[in-house]
Amino acid sequence: MVESVKPYQFGLRLSERGCVAGIGDGIAWIRGLPTARLDELIGFDDGSTGLVFQLGREVLGAILLSQNRGVTAGMAVQHIGRKLEIGVGDALLGRVVDPLGSPLDGLPPPELRQFRSLEAAAPPIIERDFVSEPLYTGCKIVDTLIPIGKGQRQLIIGDDGIGKSALALDAVVNQRGRNVLCVMVLIGQPRSSVAGTLEALRQADALAYTVVVVAEANALPGFRYLAPFAGCAIAEHWMRMGRDTLVIYDDLTRHAQSYRELSLLLQRPPGREAYPGDIFYLHSRLLERSTVLSSAYGGGSMTALPIIETRQGELSAYIPTNLISITDGQIYLESKLFAAGMLPAIDIGRSVSRIGGKAQHPAIKTASAHIRLDYLQFLELELFARFGTRLEAGVEEKLQRGRLLREILKQDRLQPLSERAHLAWLLAYGEGLLENLKPEQAAGVLAELLAKLPDTLSLDSPKKQWLSVLRQLLADKT
């Protein structure tokens, strides 16, 4: 059957056209286009595109997404007729893209047939389910004392340069073979940092299940603003298909600064610390999209690990307090611990997980029940012991156990541990099997112990079986 071609009809067609009133710093001021809507794409006559970001009585403000040198005042602007979308799907795995989905890795553009809007409503409460499955990061402290569940939003917070990105990178590397798809969003980072992250992922064979969304430090502020929403849309597609996903936002401090820059350029009134008043809503609508869906809606999950930077450990600053109130817990990294060689430099006393404990495996939950309290008590005792007073034998024994635990909790970068390894060291320490070791011997002995764990042991194996195997492996070490 031959399809009929609709004949051309001569007639009057009405279309809106505006003109550029001014341009600068990635922002275009446009007169006209009275029916323009927020987050709508508009096109310039030279082929550039923009995103409507502010509506005014006389002019509207637009973020330039692709800026050609031909954009000048007086240029005509017209509607494109659609909202900003990004291509999604499995073809993005292993790729490095910008917030618009264009490749940055020198390879041909991925063939994508599905698209999702960058801005989307968070799943309603009727579609959500309880967090019930653990998401293992491979970090001893996190997986045992500050556990994370699939669908949780766990904040990583601390000063610059003390291991926040390394902790998130470990979490991505540890998802190899666990059927969890990862999205890393790198916001406002220099090219050298981006290259280092990509090389670490490549060496760990983690790029096969990871998408990297990059908005570099020299990118337009609009790109840095859109980057986390692009990464969220990519992960949201897989979550709606019933897959488990992990999203890293590295970091939202630079994202907030980009939004502040855009807002001040658009002459919005500044608020606290010169941030616009809706910065809280901006981050909340981003992070609220992370959840676990009920089985009736696919059963997928999106776990978010946003990273935020503090200055001199100031937790009460504007953006950190906003994100602490939005998320389900925080992992706080302390610069003093980092300087003392305690890596990862996680402050166990100020870190908390408000949901993950409900998803923790019963065996690990039982074995780690008293570890946190023991460690915090040790820190207090160690503080008093510095005064040089004579200590009772019981106190000295607690200090010795605490020093041993501190050495056990240390972990090198890009060396995540399995959940079986977590349970092994928890039981070995909790049952006193390592008491005869000196703290400096703990790391070496523990590494040999974990390497020799038999494959027959699982998290569901009886505790007696675990202890029997551990005693046998440690017989010639202690």
Side-chain angles (χ1 to χ4, degrees):
M1 180 177 179
V2 180
E3 296 183 359
S4 59
V5 179
K6 187 176 180 180
Y8 172 78
Q9 293 182 350
F10 178 80
L12 181 64
R13 292 179 178 84
L14 298 178
S15 64
E16 289 183 359
R17 290 177 71 84
C19 66
V20 178
I23 186 169
D25 299 314
I27 300 293
W29 295 97
I30 299 165
R31 297 187 185 276
L33 302 182
T35 64
R37 296 175 295 175
L38 284 175
D39 297 328
E40 178 189 352
L41 287 176
I42 55 176
F44 298 82
D45 272 2
D46 71 331
S48 301
T49 55
L51 181 71
V52 178
F53 197 64
Q54 178 166 306
L55 301 178
R57 184 182 298 272
E58 300 294 336
V59 295
L60 59 87
I63 301 172
L64 289 175
L65 300 179
S66 59
Q67 182 178 7
N68 294 332
R69 295 184 177 180
V71 179
T72 56
M75 180 174 288
V77 188
Q78 62 277 346
H79 293 281
I80 291 181
R82 58 185 176 88
K83 285 199 167 188
L84 184 60
E85 295 178 328
I86 187 171
V88 294
D90 291 350
L92 284 174
L93 293 174
R95 301 300 303 271
V96 183
V97 297
D98 66 13
L100 301 182
S102 303
L104 298 176
D105 49 11
L107 300 176
E111 296 182 4
L112 301 168
R113 298 181 180 180
Q114 293 177 294
F115 294 84
R116 286 190 71 90
S117 175
L118 267 66
E119 287 278 1
I125 192 67
I126 196 173
E127 296 183 5
R128 299 178 182 237
D129 203 352
F130 294 103
V131 174
S132 58
E133 295 183 22
L135 182 109
Y136 294 108
T137 65
C139 176
K140 295 176 186 176
I141 297 177
V142 174
D143 289 345
T144 58
L145 306 181
I146 320 165
I148 300 174
K150 291 180 179 178
Q152 185 173 342
R153 301 156 301 175
Q154 186 77 359
L155 181 66
I156 301 176
I157 185 169
D159 287 356
D160 186 28
I162 59 174
K164 302 187 301 297
S165 299
L167 183 62
L169 193 60
D170 282 349
V172 172
V173 170
N174 196 54
Q175 303 314 309
R176 185 173 63 244
R178 298 179 185 270
N179 199 26
V180 176
L181 302 178
C182 302
V183 181
M184 288 202 71
V185 184
L186 306 180
I187 309 166
Q189 296 189 11
R191 186 163 298 183
S192 58
S193 298
V194 175
T197 300
L198 292 175
E199 184 60 27
L201 290 172
R202 190 174 292 110
Q203 290 183 357
D205 294 329
L207 272 179
Y209 54 86
T210 305
V211 183
V212 183
V213 180
V214 178
E216 293 183 1
N218 59 355
L220 293 172
F223 267 58
R224 301 197 300 272
Y225 161 73
L226 293 172
F229 295 100
C232 186
I234 293 171
E236 201 170 37
H237 166 73
W238 285 318
M239 179 182 71
R240 290 292 182 181
M241 293 178 61
R243 308 287 295 274
D244 293 322
T245 61
L246 171 64
V247 188
I248 310 293
Y249 301 111
D250 188 9
D251 64 39
L252 291 187
T253 299
R254 294 186 178 94
H255 179 247
Q257 291 168 353
S258 300
Y259 185 64
R260 176 172 62 182
E261 181 181 348
L262 285 173
S263 299
L264 293 176
L265 287 171
L266 290 166
Q267 301 176 7
R268 294 180 179 178
R272 180 176 167 187
E273 297 183 17
Y275 288 102
D278 60 344
I279 187 69
F280 180 90
Y281 172 64
L282 176 76
H283 284 154
S284 65
R285 75 173 188 256
L286 168 69
L287 295 174
E288 281 292 334
R289 292 162 71 177
S290 298
T291 185
V292 54
L293 299 177
S294 62
S295 57
Y297 293 90
S301 70
M302 188 199 309
T303 308
L305 294 182
I307 297 175
I308 200 73
E309 180 184 326
T310 56
R311 294 188 177 181
Q312 301 298 319
E314 183 57 55
L315 280 173
S316 60
Y318 186 39
I319 300 302
T321 50
N322 279 352
L323 284 162
I324 287 174
S325 62
I326 293 169
T327 50
D328 307 313
Q330 68 271 357
I331 300 171
Y332 179 66
L333 282 80
E334 172 65 57
S335 56
K336 292 181 181 178
L337 293 175
F338 183 83
M342 177 63 189
L343 301 177
I346 298 175
D347 188 333
I348 298 175
R350 287 197 274 185
S351 300
V352 65
S353 177
R354 303 186 184 96
I355 295 180
K358 299 178 181 178
Q360 201 171 17
H361 193 280
I364 296 180
K365 189 173 186 178
T366 302
S368 62
H370 301 290
I371 300 291
R372 184 188 184 102
L373 182 60
D374 289 349
Y375 190 70
L376 295 179
Q377 287 179 343
F378 154 70
L379 294 178
E380 290 186 3
L381 287 175
E382 189 181 41
L383 184 62
F384 285 111
R386 292 176 182 173
F387 293 108
T389 57
R390 294 182 62 183
L391 302 175
E392 297 180 1
V395 175
E396 185 61 39
E397 183 180 345
K398 287 184 178 180
L399 285 173
Q400 187 67 18
R401 280 180 56 85
R403 295 187 185 102
L404 179 64
L405 178 58
R406 180 162 56 192
E407 292 300 320
I408 291 175
L409 291 176
K410 291 182 180 180
Q411 189 172 352
D412 292 333
R413 181 174 177 265
L414 294 177
Q415 291 188 5
L417 296 179
S418 67
E419 50 271 30
R420 292 171 63 250
H422 292 319
L423 184 56
W425 77 259
L426 283 171
L427 290 174
Y429 173 81
E431 298 296 325
L433 304 181
L434 304 175
E435 286 185 352
N436 295 330
L437 290 177
K438 295 181 179 179
E440 56 270 17
Q441 296 176 318
V445 172
L446 202 59
E448 293 182 20
L449 171 68
L450 300 181
K452 295 179 180 178
L453 281 179
D455 295 334
T456 55
L457 285 177
S458 68
L459 294 184
D460 298 320
S461 299
K463 182 179 178 180
K464 291 182 178 179
Q465 184 179 352
W466 271 95
L467 292 177
S468 175
V469 172
L470 292 174
R471 286 193 179 99
Q472 184 179 356
L473 292 175
L474 288 168
D476 57 339
K477 296 292 181 185
T478 56

